[in-house]
């Protein structure tokens, strides 16, 4: 049996990881909810189909799923679902391959940030939330 340096801290590290991974989503989702009309306008500007529905889905995924992940409720499936959502937002919201600099560089960074977040979500989907979660109770 291999011993990890952080094995005794695993559950607290997973809690911190969950919070750090999703705080961006919770804050962004709250902003989308409180400025819903602007969110619909932004979805329209992106060419999203059914912009009002797209805005509602964004609020649901970012705010509601984000809060559930912080609480550690249905962590594995919701982390996987949020990873898919992040992939969709990367492809729809940051198509850097269709742009020229400086817009290209900024959107490429945002696209790669989304891929990094996906990696964290997939790791969370595999590892689970740890003991300090609703799933762990």
């Amino acid at each position: 049996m291999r011993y990890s340096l952080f094995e005794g801290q695993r559950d607290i590290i997973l809690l911190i990881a969950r919070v750090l991974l999703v705080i961006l989503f919770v804050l962004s989702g709250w902003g989308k909810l409180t400025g819903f009309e602007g969110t619909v306008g932004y979805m329209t500007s992106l060419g999203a189909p059914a912009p009002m529905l797209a805005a509602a889905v964004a609020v649901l995924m970012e705010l509601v799923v984000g809060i559930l992940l912080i609480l550690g409720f249905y962590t594995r499936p919701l982390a996987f679902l949020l990873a898919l959502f992040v992939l969709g937002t990367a492809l729809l919201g940051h198509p850097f391959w269709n742009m020229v600099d400086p817009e290209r560089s900024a959107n490429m960074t945002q696209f790669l940030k989304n891929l990094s977040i996906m990696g964290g979500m997939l790791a969370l989907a595999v590892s689970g939330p740890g003991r300090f979660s609703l799933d762990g109770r």
Side-chain angles (χ1 to χ4, degrees), residues 12-25:
I12 192 71
I13 291 171
L14 283 169
L15 171 62
I16 293 167
R18 287 196 329 263
V19 171
L20 293 175
L21 265 171
V22 299
I23 193 69
L24 168 73
F25 293 101

Side-chain angles (χ1 to χ4, degrees), residues 20-37:
L20 293 175
L21 265 171
V22 299
I23 193 69
L24 168 73
F25 293 101
V26 172
L27 295 174
S28 180
W30 178 253
K32 284 178 174 65
L33 177 64
T34 58
F36 194 74
E37 191 173 307

Side-chain angles (χ1 to χ4, degrees):
M1 183 170 165
R2 249 175 67 183
Y3 178 77
S4 168
L5 177 64
F6 300 107
E7 193 62 37
Q9 313 307 317
R10 180 182 186 277
D11 293 315
I12 192 71
I13 291 171
L14 283 169
L15 171 62
I16 293 167
R18 287 196 329 263
V19 171
L20 293 175
L21 265 171
V22 299
I23 193 69
L24 168 73
F25 293 101
V26 172
L27 295 174
S28 180
W30 178 253
K32 284 178 174 65
L33 177 64
T34 58
F36 194 74
E37 191 173 307
T39 303
V40 173
Y42 178 67
M43 295 297 177
T44 301
S45 76
L46 290 177
M52 187 168 290
L53 178 61
V57 167
V59 169
L60 176 73
M61 291 301 298
E62 293 180 11
L63 183 62
V64 177
V65 171
I67 290 169
L68 291 175
L69 285 174
I70 287 174
L71 296 173
F73 185 71
Y74 283 96
T75 304
R76 291 175 191 259
L78 289 179
F80 186 76
L81 184 63
L82 196 55
L84 293 177
F85 173 78
V86 170
L87 176 61
T89 61
L91 294 171
L92 293 173
H94 305 293
F96 68 92
W97 51 89
N98 292 332
M99 300 174 180
V100 295
D101 279 328
E103 189 181 27
R104 177 183 168 83
S105 294
N107 276 274
M108 188 165 101
T109 298
Q110 293 300 314
F111 183 88
L112 293 172
K113 172 203 53 108
N114 280 25
L115 294 185
S116 297
I117 293 169
M118 278 182 62
M121 288 298 159
L122 292 174
L124 186 58
V126 170
S127 71
R131 185 175 47 139
F132 302 121
S133 65
L134 293 176
D135 290 348
R137 295 206 176 269

